[in-house]
């Protein structure tokens, strides 16, 4: 237990410090970095899903005026480490998925680079590929562990016996779709190799992890590599670790010493190269007595990974801790496929993993004739069912009650209400996200010119780090927030962890508070110019005795057109308990942003994988639909005033990801309430409800 | 992007001569479709002739009481024109249902009906496509067919390797309204001027899916004429799509209902061209428009429809969907008429 900082700057709805520059277009993003006489890169991608490149005809390309370099597996430098198959670019002629990088053209203009890259004739020895996820895939295997270090399978009690004995059961299979992160800023880098030193202006969620990966792959000393990234135009996990494009542009820079090179992936290329959320197939079983007390919860997940690099989405993890039940089972099985490499996407694990279970709870409520909110309240666990630990704080029930009240849930009725041409329904689901802190991060605080400067290599993905970190520093130092500057996004500042797992504010904030305490301990309240102290996150109090999560509840109104089946969601309300909110303005935009992305997952986003050729068929933003403004009606995020003395001195849990969890289930449940049609595979589109309409 | 020459001639006659003289030349208007295709390598012209400032940008009255839309008038201007909104609401609605405000400010009357299909394989030069590369085959058959045709195709699962196979749809909203309005296309070509009924502008794939329209190389659209409609005519456009804005139609319906006259129905995103539902129109001639009669007429119209199987369940849902959408559109029009 820690004494929380007395909130003065914390809790204020301060405007974004970087807002004006971004609106004016003067904030510099990676690709726009002002370097002298840059050259431009365009990749060559494999057009087979499995096999080998046997030849690449580059002679004509190399001879062209304005072409500076053509890199291929036949001439590229050999990397120091090829352990990570994603990063081992141009190290072999093997092709493991369609769209894989097999070459790069560097030219005086981006147009020329693109034209030349597209014109290179490649000959392949093609093999039959396997890119279809299915539950009877012969290669299904249990990974050693799933992401974030969770066990692959868990079991307690006897689910089968409990299901057989239960008065009411639900046993269905739910599917979440393949999803691609589409931050507005594509994955882009400006790179310069000069005098044996490398500078990368890269769009990344963490300059230090980015540097570490590049150093490992190229065998470089970290002192010789600088990564700079003051602004990120969104990442959502897809810039959480670097992808192959960063290695490729580094290679290009090393091939042209002294010449800055630029590489921005096109939107289409992102669908092959920057990760995606695996589709999941979730068999859900719930058993309960007539009063709705759960006796069995089981989720058996089948999902995919690429054959060359394992990625094991922790989809079954939230089912381990959401509700109480004496009998529980969770399993994960991966199908290894000849497909692009899955990666992080907002709330990995929790986002898909709160779909099947939260729709199944709705189906159980329906079978019981019970209110879905009451069903959840009836199964509230006293301690974490997974670890047996007490909760650091858990206010799910309060979120459910407040959400129901704000939404007008009591007026819900039995369903199939019609207003004009529209069938109207209400649905809800719970939200959850673990509170995480990363093991390493250091901050320094310096007194300079009458102001305090906090330095840490943190990243602001548009989330608000530029704004909230000064708030934390100000309260830790006991000064006005206007007297504090922060400097982030550069490996010249002390090491910071990745912006991921909603852990940034927790981790970097804890380091900053630690640095502030060191500073005050050393210099008191009257420091001299140049005084400096640093602090480490691992010096900050860490509580292992409690299970720490943020919770929430989301309520959705769906309208389904009685003629066409078109689905609209005019109302979405979320109530969250996420500890202390550092800045209501930036927090609200994280929460409604997450909910909007959840709505997008519910209704629109769908990477349609063409298993015949092994690629996403709809790989651009005209065809891969992301919810647009007109699809978002009233959207509200509220939060409880939660006091959690165990998580950190700020009392803050993460808020970046919880908003996307449960949303899709709430929408699907609302569509069912409106139409009586139960859609168990995402997204819910009009064709899936049409047949059930009169 | 392949390098090309760019020309901005002095007038339309010169523009037509320029394009006619160069087999691999194209006209450029707003560029919202063509420039995308230049970047993707879908269009690889040697010469781009900019006609944006050469054709008229005006919407003007015709002596017969109709309207002439100059080829360079923008989609926004036409949609906002008072005469269009009052007399041809189906057209204003169709335009406003398309793309986004920014795109409509640039897209033109001449370019919009000539935009190419949104078939995802057409836009991806790494996949076979008879429309883009004649004879290479059709990747859409058995693939991602959600936005593909159910009418005017020869069979469900036609031979994907046959050079004539194409199951693409025409994606324009504006064109569906123009088909229902019996618009006339004014064309200037190397052989002089001609007028093409809008319903005959677009083709079915036939034996050459690479050709979307009957326009010959070098033929320039100079204007599109809207014939006058009897006073009291009602019309509406209904677009059904996966998201509320900024999405192409899954299906769409343009309907024109003159007072006491016979309804005209055009369907969008169901065929290689805007589809006049002539069979349904015939069956409804003189009939009372009820949900029942319209549904029966549309059943007849759709009797030969071919669902295309494919990823994610194919596009069979379009057949009941377009029927229901026509019923709903005419129900709204007739209740508006009786209100
Ligand atoms: C993201 C996006 C979303 C869109 N959504 C929709 C939608 O929902 N509904 C919809 O209907 N449309 C939609 N569009 C398409 C848009 O309407 C068209 O791109 C636009 O109307 C084309 O007009 P333009 O003047 O820009 O044509 P251009 O791109 O200049 O030309 C298109 C074609 O027409 C030819 N051409 C142009 N003018 C003439 C002429 N006068 N005579 C002969 N040939 C000519 C060109 O050579 C070219 O082949 C969308 C476009 C984009 C990019
Ligand atoms: S449907 Fe037509 S446009 Fe699409 S791939 Fe087939 S031939 Fe090409």
């Amino acid at each position: 237990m820690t004494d929380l900082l007395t909130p003065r700057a914390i809790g204020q709805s301060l405007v974004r410090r970087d807002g004006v520059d971004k609106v004016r277009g003067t904030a510099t993003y990676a690709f726009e970095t002002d370097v002298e006489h840059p050259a431009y890169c365009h990749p060559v991608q494999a057009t087979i899903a499995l096999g080998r490149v046997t030849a690449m005809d580059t002679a004509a390309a190399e001879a062209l005026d304005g072409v500076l370099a053509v890199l291929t597996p036949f001439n590229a430098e050999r990397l120091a480490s090829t352990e990570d198959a994603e990063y081992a670019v141009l190290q072999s002629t093997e092709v493991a998925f369609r769209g894989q990088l097999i070459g790069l053209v560097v030219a005086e203009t981006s147009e020329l680079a693109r034209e030349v890259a597209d014109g290179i004739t490649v000959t392949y020895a093609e093999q039959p590929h396997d890119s279809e996820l299915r539950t009877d895939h012969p290669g299904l295997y249990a990974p050693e562990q799933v992401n974030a270090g969770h066990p692959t399978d868990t079991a307690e009690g006897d689910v089968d016996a409990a299901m057989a004995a239960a008065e009411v059961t639900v046993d269905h299979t739910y599917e979440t779709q393949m999803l691609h992160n589409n931050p507005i800023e594509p994955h882009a880098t400006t790179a310069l190799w000069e005098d044996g030193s490398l500078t990368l202006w890269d769009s990344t969620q963490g300059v230090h992890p980015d540097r570490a990966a590049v150093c490992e792959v190229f065998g470089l000393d970290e002192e010789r590599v600088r990564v700079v990234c003051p602004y990120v135009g969104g990442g959502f996990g897809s810039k959480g670790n670097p992808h192959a494009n960063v290695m490729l542009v580094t290679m290009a820079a090393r091939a042209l010493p002294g010449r800055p090179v630029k590489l921005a992936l096109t939107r289409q290329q992102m669908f092959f190269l920057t990760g995606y959320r695996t589709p999941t197939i979730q068999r859900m079983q719930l058993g309960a007595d007539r009063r709705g007390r759960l006796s069995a919860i089981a989720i058996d997940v089948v999902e995919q990974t690429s054959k060359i690099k394992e990625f094991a989405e922790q989809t079954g993890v939230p089912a381990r801790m959401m509700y109480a039940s004496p009998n529980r089972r969770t399993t994960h099985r991966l199908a290894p496929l000849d497909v692009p490499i899955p990666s992080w996407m907002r709330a990995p694990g929790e986002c898909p993993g709160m779909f099947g279970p939260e729709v199944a709870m709705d189906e159980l409520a329906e079978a019981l004739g019970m209110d879905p909110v009451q069903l959840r309240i009836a199964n509230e666990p006293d301690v974490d069912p997974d670890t047996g630990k007490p909760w650091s704080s858990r206010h799910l029930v309060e979120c459910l009650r407040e959400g129901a009240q704000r939404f007008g849930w009591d007026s819900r009725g039995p369903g199939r209400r019609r207003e004009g041409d529209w069938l109207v329904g209400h649905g809800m689901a719970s939200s959850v996200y673990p509170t995480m802190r990363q093991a390493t991060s250091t901050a320094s605080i310096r007194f300079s010119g009458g102001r305090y400067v906090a330095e840490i290599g943190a990243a602001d993905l548009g989330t608000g780090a530029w704004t909230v970190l000064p708030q934390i520093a100000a309260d830790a130092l006991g000064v006005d927030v206007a007297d504090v500057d922060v400097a982030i996004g550069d490996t010249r500042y002390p090491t910071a962890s990745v912006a991921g797992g909603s852990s940034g504010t927790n981790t970097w904030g804890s380091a900053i508070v630690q640095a502030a305490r060191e500073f005050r301990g050393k210099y008191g309240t009257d420091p001299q110019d140049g005084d400096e102290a640093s602090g480490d996150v691992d010096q900050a109090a860490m509580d292992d005795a409690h299970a720490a999560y943020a919770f929430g509840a989301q309520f959705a109104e769906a309208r389904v057109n009685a003629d066409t089946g078109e689905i609209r969601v005019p109302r979405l309300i979320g109530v969250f308990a996420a500890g202390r909110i550092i800045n209501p303005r930036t927090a609200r935009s994280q929460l409604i942003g997450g909910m909007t992305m959840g709505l997008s997952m519910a209704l629109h986003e769908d990477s349609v994988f063409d298993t015949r050729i092994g690629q996403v068929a709809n790989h651009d933003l005209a065809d891969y639909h992301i919810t647009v403004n007109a699809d978002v009606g009233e959207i509200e995020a509220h939060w409880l005033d939660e006091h959690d003395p165990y998580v950190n001195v700020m009392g803050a849990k993460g808020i970046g990801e919880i908003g996307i969890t449960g949303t899709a289930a709430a929408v699907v449940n609302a569509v069912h309430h409106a139409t009586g049609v139960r859609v168990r595979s995402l997204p819910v589109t009009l064709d899936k409800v049409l047949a059930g309409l009169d | 992007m392949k390098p090309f020459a760019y020309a901005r001639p002095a007038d339309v006659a010169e523009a037509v001569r320029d394009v006619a003289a160069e087999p691999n030349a194209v006209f450029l208007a707003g560029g919202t479709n063509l420039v995308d295709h230049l970047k993707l390598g879908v269009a690889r012209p040697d010469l781009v002739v900019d006609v944006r400032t050469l054709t008229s940008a005006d919407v003007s009255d015709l002596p017969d009481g109709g309207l002439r839309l100059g080829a360079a008038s923008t989609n926004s201007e036409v949609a906002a024109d008072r005469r269009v909104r009052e007399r041809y609401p189906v057209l204003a609605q169709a335009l406003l249902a398309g793309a986004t405000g920014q795109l409509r400010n640039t897209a033109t009357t001449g370019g919009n009906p000539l935009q190419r299909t949104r078939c995802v394989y057409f836009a991806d030069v790494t996949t076979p496509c008879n429309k883009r590369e004649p004879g290479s085959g059709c990747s859409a058959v058995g693939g991602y067919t959600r936005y593909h045709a159910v009418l005017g195709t020869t069979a469900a699962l036609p031979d994907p390797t046959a050079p004539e196979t194409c199951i693409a749809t025409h994606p324009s909203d504006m064109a569906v309204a123009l088909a229902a309005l019996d618009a006339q296309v004014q064309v200037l070509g190397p052989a002089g001027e001609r007028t093409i009924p809008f319903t005959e502008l677009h083709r079915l794939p036939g034996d050459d899916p690479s050709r979307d329209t009957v326009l010959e190389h070098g033929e320039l659209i100079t204007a599109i004429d809207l014939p006058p409609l009897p006073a009291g005519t009602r019309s509406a456009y209904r677009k059904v799509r996966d998201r509320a804005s900024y999405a192409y139609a899954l299906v769409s319906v343009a309907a024109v209902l003159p007072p006491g006259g016979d309804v005209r129905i055009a369907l969008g995103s169901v065929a290689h061209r805007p589809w006049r539902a002539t069979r349904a129109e015939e069956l409804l001639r003189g009939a009372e428009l009820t949900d029942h009669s319209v549904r029966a007429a549309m059943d007849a119209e759709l009797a030969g429809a071919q669902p295309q199987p494919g990823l994610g369940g194919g596009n069979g849902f379009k057949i009941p969907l377009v029927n229901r959408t026509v019923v709903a559109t005419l129900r709204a029009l007739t209740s508006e008429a009786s209100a």
Side-chain angles (χ1 to χ4, degrees), chain B residues 27 29-34 99 107-108 112 114-115 172-173 221 239 248:
Chain B
F27 295 116
T32 59
N33 194 233
L34 182 63
T108 62
N112 187 315
L114 299 182
Q115 63 178 293
S172 162
D173 292 301
I221 295 180
K239 177 177 182 178
Y248 286 91

Side-chain angles (χ1 to χ4, degrees), chain B residues 87-162:
Chain B
R87 279 139 65 183
Y88 308 96
V90 62
L91 179 59
Q93 289 168 16
L95 285 165
L96 293 177
T100 63
Q102 294 92 323
L103 285 159
R104 294 193 295 269
N105 287 344
T106 306
T108 62
T109 293
N112 187 315
L114 299 182
Q115 63 178 293
R116 312 294 313 268
T117 182
R118 300 302 305 190
C119 171
V120 295
Y121 305 98
F122 174 73
D124 181 347
V125 297
T126 69
T127 58
C129 167
N130 283 329
K131 188 178 277 303
R132 174 171 32 78
E133 207 182 316
S136 62
C138 171
S139 298
V141 172
Y144 182 47
T145 58
R146 186 173 179 81
Y147 288 87
H148 286 71
V150 292
L151 288 168
T153 54
T154 43
L157 278 180
D159 178 2
T161 60

Side-chain angles (χ1 to χ4, degrees), chain A residues 563 610 612 615 626 631 694, chain B residues 121 124 139 243-244 324:
Chain A
D563 290 303
D610 193 332
R612 304 169 309 165
Q615 75 174 31
I626 294 172
D631 293 294
D694 300 331
Chain B
Y121 305 98
D124 181 347
S139 298
R243 61 181 169 189
R324 298 171 73 107

Side-chain angles (χ1 to χ4, degrees), chain B residues 130-131 134-137 159-166 206-210:
Chain B
N130 283 329
K131 188 178 277 303
S136 62
D159 178 2
T161 60
E164 67 277 6
T165 298
C166 177
D207 57 7
D208 185 3
S210 71

